[in-house]
Amino acid sequence: RSAGPVLVRPSDETIDSTAPNHSEGAQFIVDASRRLSSPSRPLAVVTGGRLTDLADAYLIDHTVPERVVVVAALGTDSTDGAEMGIPNGEYDTWADVIVAQKFRYVQVNAYYRQADDVTYDLASRLPANAFTSWIRSKKDTVYADDPLTSDQVAVLAVAIPSYVSAVVRATTTGEPGLSAA
């Protein structure tokens, strides 16, 4: 993750006219894809947030999509298949357009109760350290306000194949909101 600003949609609305940010995260993706991918084993970039760094990586090096598969937890199911919107897809809609049109892209739409990941009983049995204190503080604040989450589901879909219960193949049909059918 980097602190690169959202991408600016050019007035001609042409992806390749977009000025790259040259963010640290984008450069990491470019470098990692060169080092780690092969034609039969692309680098999987898994994200639970905005797609700015991925789009920026494409703008820096147009060959990145040949080496990368994007797995993202953003947006929702729709009657047309899926939509790249809330949650997380609304933060840089131009980056969404770039990634959807230029990359092999997998969108994961799922929600679960993250408060159940570490129960209060389990938290009380964990070692006394900074990490456990952080977990306890999250349970008392974030979990209470937002019991359902989607940010981690992309990692779950990649790491635990049985987590995926259904697959719908879709193509982009437009934007904003980037509905897919």
Side-chain angles (χ1 to χ4, degrees):
R1 180 179 94 192
S2 74
V6 298
L7 295 168
V8 177
R9 183 188 300 244
S11 59
D12 68 2
E13 301 212 2
T14 302
I15 289 173
D16 292 336
S17 297
T18 307
N21 290 336
H22 292 279
S23 69
E24 182 181 330
Q27 194 57 57
F28 176 82
I29 293 167
V30 171
D31 295 342
S33 69
R34 286 179 182 157
R35 277 191 337 272
L36 302 173
S37 72
S38 70
S40 63
R41 295 194 84 138
L43 177 69
V45 177
V46 182
T47 179
R50 64 185 174 132
L51 303 177
T52 306
D53 288 336
L54 283 150
D56 196 21
Y58 166 78
L59 297 170
I60 293 168
D61 177 351
H62 285 27
T63 66
V64 167
E66 298 168 15
R67 300 185 300 271
V68 168
V69 172
V70 178
V71 181
L74 56 78
T76 59
D77 296 338
S78 74
T79 56
D80 294 330
E83 184 172 304
M84 293 174 86
I86 296 171
N88 300 324
E90 75 276 20
Y91 295 120
D92 189 345
T93 56
W94 188 237
D96 295 348
V97 170
I98 294 169
V99 170
Q101 291 187 15
K102 298 296 182 178
F103 284 84
R104 291 170 283 181
Y105 175 77
V106 177
Q107 182 167 315
V108 180
N109 297 114
Y111 299 91
Y112 77 103
R113 287 189 46 79
Q114 70 178 359
D116 296 339
D117 287 347
V118 179
T119 63
Y120 282 106
D121 178 55
L122 177 58
S124 69
R125 293 183 279 136
L126 294 173
N129 59 35
F131 184 61
T132 300
S133 295
W134 176 78
I135 290 172
R136 285 187 186 123
S137 72
K138 276 192 71 134
K139 287 196 73 58
D140 294 334
T141 57
V142 176
Y143 291 162
D145 295 337
D146 186 16
L148 296 178
T149 187
S150 65
D151 290 350
Q152 299 91 326
V153 297
V155 173
L156 293 172
V158 170
I160 307 169
S162 62
Y163 179 78
V164 177
S165 63
V167 175
V168 176
R169 299 201 185 280
T171 58
T172 58
T173 58
E175 54 94 22
L178 280 185
S179 294

